[in-house]
């Protein structure tokens, strides 16, 4: 990437961080996509519509989701240049717009999660420190719907026995309230009772537990109760949290807040999980349905 392009990308990323609250991971992703485009175009700042249209032809071997992400990054980049008066025109109309079908999340039943929790709780009673830690990890993953990165980065002081929730800085550096169940509180207290002093709730080596290690722990816990390990991950447990809440009657707006989704469209993926229950909900709760049954409001 040329020095001129690098300067433009730096200004663009400064804007994303200041105005959109983009995380360092998001900024790194933007930089990577723009650098990949610059390697083909030669110059980001001077590229015209024809060059960008030809760029789409260079991406034919890439997955649709990758093409969509790179196109989105370039559109936002050139929109920024126009807004800042750094370009008179926006050449991004020629970029491809592939249709990306969002994959449905893998699901665990309530019985399967209950089996994992029951096994983890029984092992924690035996008193082994790692068993107590694993039980607390599982209670938080499923009971609060945390992302893996959010869980492993929790400071030790973030969970207080007197508070039914914690304030979490999640994706995009946005803060949200995360409820903590009584079972999770008990599991965490059991884990911390006698645990080594550390600034992290779940330490691992010289810093917090790594996401890779968390992934391994969760899969091992699944295997112990007869669940195929490839079906389970920290993110699958987050999906289970959302799915089972929706099945229990939670509305999408509440679910959006609990999961920390910026856009409710992201949360709507969970409406597929129990369409029969949603139809029954309309038939039972809608005023017209009650009138048809002869009930008063």
């Amino acid at each position: 990437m040329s020095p001129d392009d690098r300067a433009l990308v730096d200004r663009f990323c400064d804007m994303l961080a200041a105005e959109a609250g983009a995380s360092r991971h998001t900024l790194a992703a933007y930089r990577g996509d723009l650098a990949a485009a610059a390697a083909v175009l030669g110059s980001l700042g001077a590229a015209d519509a024809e060059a960008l249209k030809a760029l789409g032809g260079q991406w034919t071997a890439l997955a649709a989701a990758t093409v969509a992400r790179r196109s989105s990054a370039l559109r936002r980049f050139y929109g920024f240049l126009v807004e800042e008066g750094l370009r008179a025109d926006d050449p991004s109309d020629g970029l491809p717009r592939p249709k990306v079908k969002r994959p449905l999340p893998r699901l665990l039943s309530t019985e399967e999660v209950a089996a994992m929790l029951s096994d983890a709780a029984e092992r924690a009673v035996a008193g082994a420190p790692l068993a107590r830690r694993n039980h607390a990890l599982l209670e938080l993953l499923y009971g609060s719907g945390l992302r893996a990165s959010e869980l492993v980065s929790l400071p030790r002081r973030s969970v207080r026995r007197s508070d039914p929730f914690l304030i979490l800085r999640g994706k995009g550096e946005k803060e949200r309230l995360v409820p903590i169940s009584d079972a999770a509180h008990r599991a965490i207290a059991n884990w911390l009772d006698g645990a080594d002093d550390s600034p992290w709730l779940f330490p691992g080596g010289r810093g917090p537990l790594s996401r890779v290690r968390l992934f391994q722990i969760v899969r091992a816990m699944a295997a112990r109760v007869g669940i195929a390990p490839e079906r389970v991950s920290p993110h699958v447990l987050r999906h289970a949290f959302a799915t089972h809440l929706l099945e229990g009657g939670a509305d999408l707006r509440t679910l959006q807040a609990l999961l920390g989704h910026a856009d409710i469209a992201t949360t709507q993926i969970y409406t597929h999980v129990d369409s029969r229950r949603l139809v029954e909900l309309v038939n039972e709760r809608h005023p017209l349905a009650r009138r048809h049954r002869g009930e008063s409001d």
Side-chain angles (χ1 to χ4, degrees):
M1 188 184 296
S2 70
D4 287 344
D5 281 344
R6 188 172 292 108
L8 291 176
V9 171
D10 286 344
R11 289 183 62 173
F12 173 61
C13 289
D14 287 344
M15 179 277 295
L16 290 177
E19 297 181 14
S23 69
R24 58 187 179 88
H25 298 293
T26 299
L27 296 176
Y30 270 105
R31 287 184 184 277
D33 287 338
L34 293 173
V40 178
L41 293 170
S43 173
L44 283 177
D48 58 17
E50 288 301 315
L52 292 184
K53 187 179 295 185
L55 184 62
Q58 300 281 334
W59 291 344
T60 53
L62 300 177
T66 302
V67 174
R69 192 194 69 234
R70 289 188 177 183
S71 293
S72 176
L74 285 167
R75 287 192 187 92
R76 194 162 185 180
F77 174 70
Y78 287 114
F80 164 76
L81 296 186
V82 171
E83 289 176 3
E84 293 293 306
L86 300 171
R87 271 192 77 123
D89 65 315
D90 184 343
S92 62
D93 284 345
L95 288 167
R97 297 177 180 270
K99 292 184 178 180
V100 180
K101 184 177 181 181
R102 185 185 294 272
L104 297 179
R106 287 177 287 171
L107 299 178
L108 290 174
S109 68
T110 53
E111 293 78 13
E112 288 173 322
V113 178
M116 290 180 66
L117 286 168
S118 178
D119 179 72
E122 289 177 7
R123 292 174 182 274
V125 169
L130 292 184
R132 299 201 307 268
R133 180 203 64 185
N134 292 351
H135 182 213
L137 285 170
L138 187 60
E139 288 284 359
L140 276 176
L141 279 174
Y142 176 66
S144 300
L146 299 182
R147 298 179 178 93
S149 58
E150 295 170 341
L151 179 70
V152 298
S153 61
L154 284 175
R156 187 184 182 115
R157 65 179 184 280
S158 63
V159 180
R160 300 176 182 175
R161 300 188 187 192
S162 60
D163 294 339
F165 58 84
L166 60 87
I167 298 176
L168 184 73
R169 188 179 297 276
K171 195 172 182 179
E173 298 300 307
K174 294 181 175 63
E175 288 188 346
R176 74 179 191 275
L177 286 178
V178 176
I180 304 177
S181 68
D182 292 341
H185 264 300
R186 289 192 295 271
I188 293 168
N190 189 35
W191 153 235
L192 292 179
D193 185 18
D196 294 338
D197 190 24
S198 168
W200 307 104
L201 183 58
F202 300 111
R206 296 180 180 178
L209 189 72
S210 72
R211 285 183 291 178
V212 171
R213 184 65 188 122
L214 176 63
F215 187 94
Q216 295 169 340
I217 290 169
V218 167
R219 286 201 159 183
M221 295 172 82
R224 280 198 294 266
V225 295
I227 301 172
E230 61 270 16
R231 292 183 54 216
V232 186
S233 70
H235 207 62
V236 168
L237 287 166
R238 175 172 158 86
H239 284 315
F241 163 83
T243 300
H244 299 163
L245 271 181
L246 189 63
E247 290 174 347
D251 62 88
L252 282 178
R253 287 293 181 187
T254 299
L255 200 57
Q256 178 189 7
L258 292 174
L259 293 172
H261 288 161
D263 188 346
I264 197 169
T266 307
T267 317
Q268 285 173 333
I269 191 173
Y270 294 103
T271 59
H272 83 283
V273 297
D274 196 358
S275 57
R276 182 168 58 96
R277 189 200 65 79
L278 294 176
V279 171
E280 291 174 353
L281 186 64
V282 171
N283 289 334
E284 291 174 3
R285 302 290 180 84
H286 196 283
L288 286 179
R290 293 192 306 209
R291 286 194 177 93
H292 288 320
R293 294 196 301 266
E295 299 176 7
S296 59
D297 289 338

